[in-house]
Amino acid sequence: MSTYPQPAPHQPQQSSPTSNKPNSQSVSPMSITRLFEKKALGEPIVMVTAYDYPSATVVDESGVDLVLVGDSAAMVVLGYPNTTPVSMDEMVMLSAAVRRGLKTPLLIGDMPFGSYEASNEQAIANAQRFIKEAGCDAVKLERGGASADRAKAIVDAGIPVMGHVGLTPQSAVQLGGFRAQGRTAARGREVIEEALQLQEAGCFAVVLEAVPSELTEALMPHLEIPAIGIGAGPAADGQVLVYHDLLGIWNGRPAKFVRQYAQVREEMVRGVSAYAYDVRERSYPAPEHGYGMSPDEAHELQNWAESLPVAPAAGKLG
Ligand code: KIV
């Protein structure tokens, strides 16, 4: 696999490792070259999903390396029961919003179910939409096998591709549901072979989802490209989590591998409930929230309004 460059000498990019503060310093944009440097240096790669402008500004300011507009948007943003219904148009619209909020991380658009399987031509045309219409830097697709052929076609068309193996939600029904994959030696071998096919196809990185840590450890010595884990143990080169899971915005049951770093949904419900209470109690809006006019102007307006016909049921029900 020689599609991607070898590491160049390290140039510090993120905030000091001794600092817990969010990354607020000016940093150079993430590149695939820099990702390979990080792998070579053993620096963990941080990836997270985002789906709109505000979440993009949050993840950008937090100093992450990679941002994925995941097809998980289907469930966490659009309310579909799984990832398969989300369309290219929906994914492009969300990705373009994320692009507008990002400065530094590499932006990856997730190719939705039905957007790449039919032919190399279909895969290239839809990958191009992510680049041209949404401003993504790269795309991601799921599975090895025929998907590795699609990945190669997209890479050959000049678009960087990230692979995804293990639990691939677009084929969850075939995989027996949303459950860990590769827990037998035979199935583990299939997952590893798929990852190697994607590497061979020219992918610049691969996501390993919901696989035993032992599988990741067995795979790592054979991967030249960065492996980004989600429920794949600590041996991967980096980790990815879904934004709504890690911030506690999603009200579904989180997967075993999720660590919640905040409970934002609780805080949102608290805020909206407090607003509803204040409106009902007439304590909002308060005088400071209103606009005024001079007494003379108010008087003139009032006189004029009084000359208008009064609505028969104004202020009354029934
Ligand atoms: O769609 C998604 O969010 C993903 C990540 C979980 C890797 O594919």
Side-chain angles (χ1 to χ4, degrees), residues 83-101:
T83 61
T84 54
V86 69
S87 68
M88 266 305 293
D89 285 348
E90 287 166 325
M91 290 301 297
V92 167
M93 191 266 282
L94 298 174
S95 304
V98 172
R99 171 79 287 159
R100 291 190 280 273

Side-chain angles (χ1 to χ4, degrees), residues 47 49 51 68-73 83 110 140 142 164 169 207 209 230 240-242:
M47 173 162 147
T49 65
Y51 311 99
L68 171 71
V69 183
D71 65 353
S72 48
T83 61
D110 207 1
K140 177 171 88 58
E142 294 189 1
H164 183 160
V207 169
E209 179 164 354
I230 174 163
V240 54
L241 279 178
V242 166

Side-chain angles (χ1 to χ4, degrees), residues 109-170:
D110 207 1
M111 300 196 69
F113 177 74
S115 71
Y116 59 94
E117 298 88 339
S119 66
N120 288 348
E121 290 70 25
Q122 181 204 33
I124 294 169
N126 282 321
Q128 285 169 339
R129 287 195 63 193
F130 275 107
I131 309 299
K132 285 169 78 97
E133 295 175 38
C136 289
D137 301 303
V139 297
K140 177 171 88 58
L141 47 66
E142 294 189 1
R143 290 171 291 115
S147 292
D149 297 337
R150 303 288 174 259
K152 180 172 183 335
I154 299 170
V155 171
D156 288 347
I159 297 173
V161 180
M162 172 178 269
H164 183 160
V165 298
L167 172 55
T168 46
Q170 293 174 11

Side-chain angles (χ1 to χ4, degrees), residues 1 3 44 59 114 129 190 192 248:
M1 217 297 297
T3 315
V59 300
R129 287 195 63 193
E190 283 172 11
I192 288 178

Side-chain angles (χ1 to χ4, degrees), residues 186-199:
R187 176 69 186 125
R189 186 177 151 170
E190 283 172 11
V191 173
I192 288 178
E193 281 172 352
E194 289 196 347
L196 297 177
Q197 286 163 7
L198 289 161
Q199 167 167 271

